Amino acid sequence: MSIIHARGLRRSFGRRGATVDAVRGIDLDVAEGEIVAFLGPNGAGKTTTLRMLTTLLRPTSGSATIAGADLLADPTQVRRRIGYVAQSGGTDPNTRVGAELELQGRLYGLSATAARSRAEQLCAQLDLAGLTDRYVRTLSGGQRRRLDIAFGLMHDPRLLFLDEPSVGLDPQSRSNLWSHIRRLRADNGTTIFLTTHYLDEADALCDRILVIDNGELVAQDSPDALKRRFATEVVTVEVAGDPEFARILLAEQVAVIESSVELDGTIRLTVTDGRRALPDLMRGLAAADLPLTSIQLARPTLDDVFLTLTGRSPRETA
């Protein structure tokens, strides 16, 4: 069952008498309980799409159902059913943690007792217990980001949108935040739709990845499937013999796409399905009586996929 179901979602902006299509009629589905990453270069339409899905921007055309509510006909019901954590957060640094959470609960219609109970529950769940009397400004970066997430969860939404959840955090705080995000899905069945410029984050957390470029979805699949489809693997080989002869021999293998000899004599092979190619390469060298010194397989990363699909490195777009 889709908790996000969008068809033909489009957003255009008028600028100086011209029309700019920021999002060009995308279709997307997110199943209940999934963790999905939405990736794209700056200006690709990622933020515009996120703002439409969270009712912050009305689509020019198209339709969507979010958590069972119609995005256009009933945006108020959509807002009641989703949580949204902006990149900049939404907490007041001059308010105490507990009071800030309770106020958020009251704004969603919880009684004072229910809001206090929910705040205590979330603080325990997100490692914020014992901090309710602290001012928000005194929290560490990781604690403050977890408080932002608690804000988005106060009304117990089925669907949580996270915009760049770990931006600015140190590696330990990022890893800790990832654990909490995984636990939200495992313990509560929460569906999580996140944007990120950290492709290792998308790889580590997500069941599926949606890539947008020039206002259109250009790919969507699991991280491993995207790597297999859009990025190649590289095998580096060193032999105790003539490397050029070895390169010619290995280039005849079906799995080898390209081959070259580096200046240091290392043979570089671009291959499909490197794990299966390795035994064939080793057998070929043994049959030719070429002693193998070393062989290494470099698996593709999501950075490679992103570069293939958009022509840009994620570091350029961050």
Side-chain angles (χ1 to χ4, degrees):
M1 178 181 177
S2 294
I3 196 165
I4 300 176
H5 175 77
R7 289 294 178 268
L9 211 59
R10 180 182 297 271
R11 177 66 197 197
S12 301
F13 296 94
R15 293 180 182 174
R16 298 174 184 173
T19 299
V20 176
D21 294 323
V23 177
R24 303 166 183 259
I26 65 171
D27 301 338
L28 64 88
D29 287 279
V30 175
E32 194 148 10
E34 273 194 300
I35 301 179
V36 171
F38 196 43
L39 308 180
N42 285 342
K46 180 177 79 245
T47 300
T48 300
T49 303
L50 184 68
R51 292 182 68 197
M52 286 192 288
L53 294 175
T54 55
T55 76
L56 298 176
L57 188 65
R58 187 175 178 84
T60 302
S61 61
S63 62
T65 302
I66 311 294
D70 189 286
L71 181 65
L72 298 178
D74 199 357
T76 300
Q77 195 60 240
V78 172
R79 287 191 285 271
R80 287 180 177 143
R81 296 180 182 181
I82 68 171
Y84 172 60
V85 179
Q87 181 177 335
S88 57
T91 52
D92 180 354
N94 298 311
T95 306
R96 296 183 191 272
V97 169
E100 187 78 329
L101 285 171
E102 289 173 29
L103 175 61
Q104 180 76 352
R106 296 304 302 276
L107 291 173
Y108 270 100
L110 300 181
S111 68
T113 301
R116 191 173 304 112
S117 174
R118 179 63 175 160
E120 291 173 358
Q121 178 188 11
L122 287 171
C123 283
Q125 188 175 359
L126 294 168
D127 284 345
L128 296 170
L131 302 178
T132 52
D133 289 332
R134 290 263 300 271
Y135 283 100
V136 173
R137 65 173 180 270
T138 68
L139 302 180
S140 69
Q143 290 169 337
R144 194 158 179 173
R145 202 57 181 142
R146 296 199 302 277
L147 177 59
D148 289 333
I149 293 175
F151 239 52
L153 292 170
M154 272 300 291
H155 56 302
D156 196 19
R158 295 162 52 198
L159 171 61
L160 179 65
F161 290 91
L162 298 176
D163 190 8
E164 300 286 349
S166 65
V167 67
L169 298 184
D170 60 79
Q172 183 176 353
S173 296
R174 287 179 66 209
S175 179
N176 179 265
L177 183 64
W178 294 355
S179 297
H180 287 295
I181 291 173
R182 291 189 189 100
R183 198 174 303 138
L184 285 175
R185 195 260 296 274
D187 294 348
N188 305 336
T190 307
T191 305
I192 297 168
F193 188 99
L194 65 89
T195 69
T196 180
H197 275 109
Y198 299 125
L199 298 193
D200 60 330
E201 180 166 80
D203 204 354
L205 284 176
C206 296
D207 305 307
R208 276 195 311 130
I209 290 172
L210 313 177
V211 183
I212 187 172
D213 194 26
N214 294 318
E216 299 177 325
L217 282 183
V218 294
Q220 52 180 308
D221 216 325
S222 69
D224 286 343
L226 288 175
K227 292 173 199 173
R228 288 193 298 268
R229 285 170 55 198
F230 296 106
T232 56
E233 299 176 322
V234 174
V235 176
T236 53
V237 179
E238 294 182 24
V239 296
D242 182 0
E244 180 58 25
F245 175 69
R247 182 199 69 77
I248 294 171
L249 177 72
L250 295 174
E252 295 176 354
Q253 296 286 340
V254 174
V256 177
I257 302 170
E258 294 179 352
S259 64
S260 62
V261 177
E262 306 296 304
L263 292 176
D264 62 358
T266 300
I267 304 161
R268 188 178 189 276
L269 306 169
T270 302
V271 302
T272 57
D273 201 348
R275 187 177 60 180
R276 293 185 179 181
L278 283 178
D280 291 338
L281 296 173
M282 296 171 69
R283 280 193 291 267
L285 291 172
D289 199 25
L290 278 170
L292 178 66
T293 302
S294 72
I295 187 166
Q296 295 181 1
L297 172 64
R299 305 297 299 273
T301 66
L302 282 181
D303 294 62
D304 301 319
V305 173
F306 195 90
L307 182 61
T308 299
L309 289 169
T310 69
R312 284 165 281 185
S313 161
R315 293 176 183 83
E316 294 176 49
T317 70

